[in-house]
Amino acid sequence: MTKSEMSDAGISREIRNSDLTLIVSSFAGFQGRTTNSSQAVARRFAEEARSHGCRSPVEITLQVVWDEDQEAVRRHISRAAASHPGTRIEWIAFGQGTAGFQMETSARNARNVTLADNAGQLPGQVSPVTGRLVSTWNKKEGSNELRSDPLDTRRITGAMKIPESADAGQYLCESILYELLDQSKSRTPDNHLDAGRFFHTPFAPSHTETDDFVRKLARVLFAGRR
């Protein structure tokens, strides 16, 4: 029975944390910033996941480059599937840019055509790097909007007392969320991602705020399934 068939049948896959392939991502600095708070949050979350018995999470830093970051997501999911065939793959993404911690639940396909990436590329214009037109969409002929599982969202935001957001900003954060939701919802056999979630982080959370957030998130996701 495939992942999609199990979901349709209402069957949940029981899995130990030690069998889970967990990918944790953050972003590099952007728009002139040399640091990105999502990196520290992602690092702490990976540490906390290991304390719950997860095998060493795959930690990656996305470069804030249109299309290149989405390709990195696809590449790492494929590698995880090849390295650990048949096991559950989950992706937890963090991005900087909000006043407080929040879970993003909606991803629009349309990109923000006024924000250049770290390579100076703007959607709708010819790339100074590749010489090709940069798409104004995250996926050609894809759905206009993708949404996360509402039950999963309520489970997480309710337990953590954090807000959910339906506006991820139409920049690289939203592009990555769109890719994760598209991968996890796809019924094609080449898409192996079971769950993809995205959380926005404040620009400069304190160590206490970061620790409190990652501990709560890890408990919600991993407690009780050693």
Side-chain angles (χ1 to χ4, degrees):
M1 183 177 286
T2 67
K3 173 179 67 177
S4 297
E5 290 170 339
M6 293 173 75
S7 177
D8 291 343
I11 301 172
S12 61
R13 289 172 58 184
E14 294 296 331
I15 187 169
R16 298 175 301 174
N17 291 334
S18 57
D19 293 328
L20 172 69
T21 297
L22 178 66
I23 306 174
V24 181
S25 68
S26 59
F27 284 98
F30 64 99
Q31 296 180 340
R33 301 178 182 88
T34 57
T35 60
N36 192 311
S37 64
S38 67
Q39 294 176 332
V41 175
R43 193 177 310 116
R44 272 291 296 116
F45 179 74
E47 292 173 357
E48 196 67 21
R50 282 191 285 270
S51 75
H52 282 267
C54 295
R55 74 161 67 99
S56 292
V58 178
E59 299 179 58
I60 67 169
T61 301
L62 299 167
Q63 298 306 309
V64 194
V65 177
W66 295 113
D67 297 315
E68 182 178 312
D69 285 355
Q70 285 179 277
E71 174 56 34
V73 169
R74 292 189 287 268
R75 184 170 61 251
H76 280 279
I77 291 172
S78 294
R79 287 178 181 173
S83 299
H84 305 286
T87 59
R88 185 177 178 87
I89 301 173
E90 295 186 11
W91 191 301
I92 307 296
F94 298 100
Q96 169 186 283
T98 51
F101 291 102
Q102 63 187 38
M103 183 176 182
E104 299 296 341
T105 62
S106 175
R108 290 163 289 182
N109 199 356
R111 294 172 170 178
N112 190 326
V113 298
T114 66
L115 288 174
D117 63 14
N118 281 354
Q121 301 178 123
L122 273 169
Q125 296 186 13
V126 174
S127 166
V129 179
T130 66
R132 297 190 297 270
L133 186 70
V134 181
S135 177
T136 58
W137 305 93
N138 290 316
K139 183 178 181 180
K140 186 178 180 181
E141 300 179 358
S143 301
N144 289 334
E145 183 181 29
L146 294 174
R147 291 185 173 274
S148 60
D149 181 342
L151 292 178
D152 185 66
T153 297
R154 287 197 293 270
R155 175 176 71 94
I156 294 171
T157 58
M160 298 184 64
K161 303 295 189 293
I162 61 172
E164 61 177 272
S165 165
D167 183 3
Q170 288 184 277
Y171 195 41
L172 270 295
C173 289
E174 189 147 22
S175 179
I176 292 305
L177 177 57
Y178 190 94
E179 184 67 33
L180 293 176
L181 292 177
D182 185 60
Q183 290 278 336
S184 61
K185 291 174 180 291
S186 173
R187 295 178 182 274
T188 62
D190 291 335
N191 288 346
H192 304 284
L193 185 66
D194 288 270
R197 304 178 181 94
F198 191 101
F199 298 89
H200 258 126
T201 71
F203 281 98
S206 68
H207 291 301
T208 299
E209 290 171 325
T210 297
D211 281 346
D212 182 61
F213 171 78
V214 299
R215 285 172 179 163
K216 287 180 178 177
L217 180 57
R219 281 200 301 270
V220 172
L221 297 180
F222 308 128
R225 64 172 203 189
R226 303 294 294 195

